[in-house]
Amino acid sequence: MNHFGILVKYEWKKLLQKKLVRIAILVVILLQVFMNLSFLMQYYTSYRSDEDGNVIQTGGRSGYEKLMDDKEDAKALEGRKVDDAMLEEMRQFYAEYSPRDKYAEIHSMVRAMSGEESREFTGEELYGVWKDNIKTSFKSQLLSEKEIAYWEKKMENIETPFTYHYAMAWETILNNQCVGTGMLLVMLLAVCLSGIFAEESRLKTSNLILCAKNGKNPVYLAKAVVGMLFGFLGAFVLYVISFAFQFYFLGTEGFHAILQQDIVYSPYPITIGQAVLIMFGITVFIGVLESMFAMVLSLGLNNNLAAMSVVVGLMMLTSFIYIPKRFRILSWLWHFIPTGILGTGEFYDGRLFQFLGISITNLGFAPILYFVLSLVLFWVGRRKYVKVQKS
Amino acid sequence: MELKIDRVTKQYGSKIAVDRISLTLGRGVHGLLGENGAGKTTFMRMICGILAPTGGSISFDGMEAATEGYRSVLGYLPQDFGYYPDFTGKDFLLYMAALKGLPKRRAGEKAKELIEMTALKEAAGNKIKTYSGGMRQRLGIAQALLNDPDILVLDEPTAGLDPKERVRFREVIQEYGKKHIVLLSTHIVSDIEHVAGNILMMKRGQLIYRGPWGEEKGDLEQFYLKQFEGGEE
């Protein structure tokens, strides 16, 4: 192992030997497990009205029982086309009371596509309304003609009528886990990495490091590598936990189901599995960016509590602020604030980044932006660490 | 082998911590005496390249202070020796060896040699947080010597050492000074009067005495105390 390898090894050791870091890792893992098992703590009661209009409780199910029922019902619809025949079948089912909502998956999709609770659509009408609603969504986003044309061309690749595929695990991760995982990751990085430089001052070891031969560039690089790897591994482990629990309870099927069966107004011609992988990839880039951000703050503020507060505070503050789309550039830039971009709303967003005549979607631009910002932060930190002696 | 210090100054606002010190140090042990607050630590930190001087320059055989070449020939034991409480003594030395750029095999050999020299063999595998003050100080001395530095800067190195360890330490330093430049700072006269061939005395940021101290000049401690009559700054 060369010097750099040894320095990286000891930087890992320094990081993982801290009690605070170990506790933070444990707490974040437990929270992620809890987020994935929260359905076990729910209880569902079903009611119906009798002929006199009295409300009668017809049954109760634990969260686990309901999940297994939903899974069974959804699996029974596997491979069915959402066409006239299916719509008619569904209408007949809902005409009578049933304690099990066997068409729940398709019913919620049709309701979202039409934007109405109940209406007797033919298949053709349903897909017509769906396309109109997407066009309305484009207008409300103030998309340019060029952007609308781009998405209309992309949407030609979405085959109608939709074919339903069972994909509950992938849907649950996409709808319920991505934002939470992103926030847990940012908190983990804020707690664990905000001391990576500041601790050297607190322990007074910076005196020894700064006057050693490899104490400048190599040490900075070793710390940055460890921090970024920690961010990457954090994202990876949190997603592995989600995958493990969701696949265990709901199965792995459905990677190839079209995204529109879950996010109906999305113009992206991709599958649900691809959408989850895109979110995972963006989370990895967020992990690397937030790691660099926490480390540069640690270096600049020379105080781990201050650096941690800035990272967590910014994450919370930015999640409360919404900039309307009419402020096009500002709202576009703002929505790249890490963790905000992990919401399912991102798959509706049709705004494009134009570069040298190439149109790049937000989900394609985000990793590039985060990578460039990580490099900038790396350079800023290096400049500060290597050049400046204490004055 | 020459450490050249040319009109080095350190100023914090209106307070001058080190005031235009110029001197050239060659092989041997150089004892830096001065009361608390005299500017010794500031001066030594500038020699180690940790602190940027407000004015003047420091170089060793043509290499400017704080450059990589300069840092590779430097060994430093700070007054407040910092360590990683959860590292073992051995791990700490191996980490410091990597920082100092020692090849892996040499690092292992040197760490072993210094662990024995500083009588830490039994405790080398224990976490530093379990060490006594004296053991930590010995570990600090060991890390400073890892790269066989041409310039060895020791700031209050005997703090925490028991009388037996102090004697042993003086012997090591005296021997080391025969081939290298050792700058040893203290406010305890007895620590340096027997080992330092050259005495440097600082008061209020200035060098008020430099040169060898022979018996014909009388008692060094008396002379030192006389300089600081009137109390601390």
Side-chain angles (χ1 to χ4, degrees):
Chain A
M1 207 186 297
N2 59 13
H3 294 140
F4 183 68
I6 298 170
L7 292 179
V8 167
K9 179 183 126 186
Y10 281 107
E11 287 303 331
W12 269 118
K13 209 164 186 173
K14 282 189 220 172
L15 184 66
L16 297 176
Q17 276 182 340
K18 278 187 227 159
K19 211 177 267 179
L20 180 72
V21 170
R22 289 181 187 185
I23 292 170
I25 292 172
L26 186 68
V27 168
V28 163
I29 287 176
L30 286 177
L31 282 171
Q32 181 73 344
V33 170
F34 177 78
M35 265 176 27
N36 280 277
L37 293 179
S38 58
F39 68 89
L40 289 176
M41 271 153 265
Q42 289 165 343
Y43 189 81
Y44 295 87
T45 313
S46 47
Y47 298 93
R48 64 171 294 206
S49 301
D50 64 11
E51 288 157 359
D52 301 325
N54 299 317
V55 177
I56 309 163
Q57 186 180 330
T58 55
R61 286 179 294 173
S62 68
Y64 179 75
E65 285 168 334
K66 184 178 182 299
L67 189 77
M68 290 304 117
D69 289 347
D70 290 348
K71 179 180 166 184
E72 190 184 317
D73 293 340
K75 276 194 167 182
L77 300 166
E78 169 64 30
R80 298 281 309 272
K81 281 207 183 310
V82 183
D83 55 8
D84 287 339
M86 165 66 85
L87 292 172
E88 182 53 33
E89 193 180 313
M90 205 168 67
R91 259 193 300 273
Q92 281 176 12
F93 174 80
Y94 284 114
E96 298 275 324
Y97 169 76
S98 168
R100 289 263 291 263
D101 192 356
K102 291 190 171 184
Y103 290 87
E105 286 278 301
I106 293 183
H107 183 226
S108 63
M109 190 202 310
V110 170
R111 199 169 44 194
M113 284 167 78
S114 63
E116 290 182 35
E117 183 57 38
S118 65
R119 198 178 141 187
E120 296 203 351
F121 288 106
T122 62
E124 198 180 333
E125 283 171 342
L126 177 67
Y127 289 102
V129 171
W130 170 67
K131 280 183 182 159
D132 290 344
N133 283 342
I134 290 188
K135 280 179 190 162
T136 309
S137 154
F138 287 159
K139 279 180 189 156
S140 70
Q141 290 177 51
L142 308 174
L143 297 192
S144 67
E145 289 300 319
K146 202 175 170 188
E147 285 169 331
I148 291 173
Y150 173 90
W151 286 114
E152 283 180 342
K153 192 153 190 273
K154 288 278 171 197
M155 283 177 65
E156 285 170 10
N157 297 319
I158 302 171
E159 198 182 312
T160 55
F162 297 160
T163 302
Y164 176 80
H165 290 290
Y166 171 78
M168 274 179 75
W170 298 97
E171 286 171 357
T172 308
I173 294 170
L174 191 60
N175 295 327
N176 304 341
Q177 305 296 328
C178 293
V179 175
T181 300
M183 291 177 103
L184 281 181
L185 179 66
V186 172
M187 280 194 279
L188 177 74
L189 300 178
V191 173
C192 298
L193 299 181
S194 53
I196 205 158
F197 286 101
E199 280 288 292
E200 303 288 2
S201 282
R202 191 184 68 80
L203 292 171
K204 292 173 179 149
T205 43
S206 56
N207 288 334
L208 299 175
I209 293 173
L210 286 170
C211 68
K213 183 190 173 196
N214 291 329
K216 297 209 170 177
N217 261 325
V219 165
Y220 178 78
L221 196 60
K223 282 182 184 289
V225 164
V226 167
M228 288 191 279
L229 260 177
F230 189 78
F232 169 79
L233 287 174
F236 185 77
V237 168
L238 290 176
Y239 264 87
V240 164
I241 292 171
S242 273
F243 284 136
F245 278 98
Q246 296 306 327
F247 290 163
Y248 176 74
F249 286 106
L250 298 169
T252 55
E253 306 97 309
F255 182 90
H256 297 291
I258 55 163
L259 179 64
Q260 285 67 25
Q261 100 176 25
D262 185 44
I263 303 172
V264 293
Y265 291 142
S266 174
Y268 280 86
I270 57 172
T271 70
I272 295 182
Q274 286 168 337
V276 170
L277 292 186
I278 288 171
M279 285 306 185
F280 167 65
I282 290 177
T283 308
V284 166
F285 279 97
I286 287 174
V288 172
L289 173 66
E290 290 284 348
S291 301
M292 274 317 303
F293 184 49
M295 286 191 287
V296 170
L297 281 174
S298 174
L299 187 58
L301 300 173
N302 208 16
N303 181 311
N304 54 347
L305 269 180
M308 193 194 316
S309 308
V310 172
V311 178
V312 176
L314 265 180
M315 181 187 75
M316 294 176 84
L317 182 74
T318 51
S319 62
F320 290 122
I321 297 172
Y322 170 75
I323 298 180
K325 289 201 168 76
R326 66 174 182 276
F327 304 109
R328 193 178 154 97
I329 294 174
L330 198 62
S331 75
W332 180 73
L333 285 173
W334 184 257
H335 101 289
F336 283 108
I337 296 280
T339 71
I341 201 162
L342 296 173
T344 50
E346 200 49 46
F347 288 101
Y348 301 114
D349 202 318
R351 290 175 291 187
L352 297 172
F353 176 68
Q354 306 287 339
F355 182 70
L356 299 173
I358 304 165
S359 298
I360 306 171
T361 63
N362 289 340
L363 291 170
F365 184 63
I368 299 170
L369 179 70
Y370 297 155
F371 179 70
V372 170
L373 287 176
S374 301
L375 284 182
V376 170
L377 284 170
F378 175 84
W379 179 79
V380 169
R382 183 185 162 275
R383 197 175 157 81
K384 176 153 180 62
Y385 184 78
V386 174
K387 275 203 167 178
V388 182
Q389 288 170 298
K390 290 180 184 176
S391 52
Chain B
M1 194 178 278
E2 223 176 48
L3 178 66
K4 230 176 171 175
I5 295 153
D6 185 23
R7 284 171 295 167
V8 163
T9 301
K10 185 71 193 175
Q11 197 165 347
Y12 295 102
S14 59
K15 188 179 184 301
I16 299 172
V18 173
D19 192 6
R20 286 169 295 168
I21 292 182
S22 293
L23 57 107
T24 301
L25 303 177
R27 281 190 185 92
V29 179
H30 307 271
L32 181 61
L33 273 172
E35 283 188 322
N36 289 332
K40 302 189 300 290
T41 295
T42 305
F43 180 52
M44 294 186 118
R45 283 162 66 85
M46 287 192 289
I47 289 174
C48 292
I50 298 167
L51 207 57
T54 314
S57 67
I58 297 165
S59 63
F60 173 75
D61 287 352
M63 292 183 286
E64 289 290 314
T67 58
E68 191 181 306
Y70 182 94
R71 282 184 274 128
S72 68
V73 297
L74 188 75
Y76 177 43
L77 173 66
Q79 188 175 9
D80 289 321
F81 166 57
Y83 58 91
Y84 304 103
D86 290 308
F87 274 27
T88 64
K90 189 182 172 194
D91 265 347
F92 183 76
L93 288 182
L94 291 176
Y95 172 61
M96 289 307 300
L99 274 179
K100 289 165 184 261
L102 265 70
K104 197 181 175 190
R105 179 182 269 186
R106 175 86 186 117
E109 289 166 359
K110 196 70 193 169
K112 197 176 163 196
E113 178 195 322
L114 288 166
I115 282 168
E116 279 173 19
M117 192 201 90
T118 50
L120 286 170
K121 200 175 173 184
E122 305 246 310
N126 299 343
K127 289 187 173 180
I128 306 174
K129 66 183 174 192
T130 65
Y131 284 18
S132 67
M135 286 162 87
R136 279 179 208 157
Q137 197 66 1
R138 282 183 272 147
L139 183 68
I141 293 162
Q143 67 76 29
L145 290 167
L146 269 169
N147 55 334
D148 294 320
D150 288 334
I151 311 163
L152 179 62
V153 180
L154 304 165
D155 197 355
E156 305 281 0
T158 54
L161 298 184
D162 63 34
K164 200 176 150 196
E165 287 167 344
R166 283 163 93 116
V167 172
R168 168 91 184 102
F169 170 74
R170 280 179 206 161
E171 287 167 6
V172 170
I173 292 307
Q174 206 156 23
E175 189 57 34
Y176 197 79
K178 286 178 183 168
K179 290 180 184 170
H180 307 90
I181 301 169
V182 180
L183 183 60
L184 192 159
S185 149
T186 182
H187 59 277
I188 304 165
V189 177
S190 61
D191 270 354
I192 59 169
E193 61 183 341
H194 302 296
V195 292
N198 184 34
I199 302 291
L200 307 166
M201 210 176 280
M202 277 185 79
K203 185 178 180 181
R204 290 181 188 152
Q206 290 183 323
L207 214 51
I208 56 167
Y209 177 86
R210 67 172 127 162
W213 191 269
E215 278 180 16
E216 70 282 1
K217 292 188 177 174
D219 184 34
L220 176 62
E221 185 143 24
Q222 287 301 317
F223 176 77
Y224 171 65
L225 290 172
K226 204 174 165 190
Q227 300 305 312
F228 297 100
E229 269 174 8
E232 290 196 5
E233 294 154 71

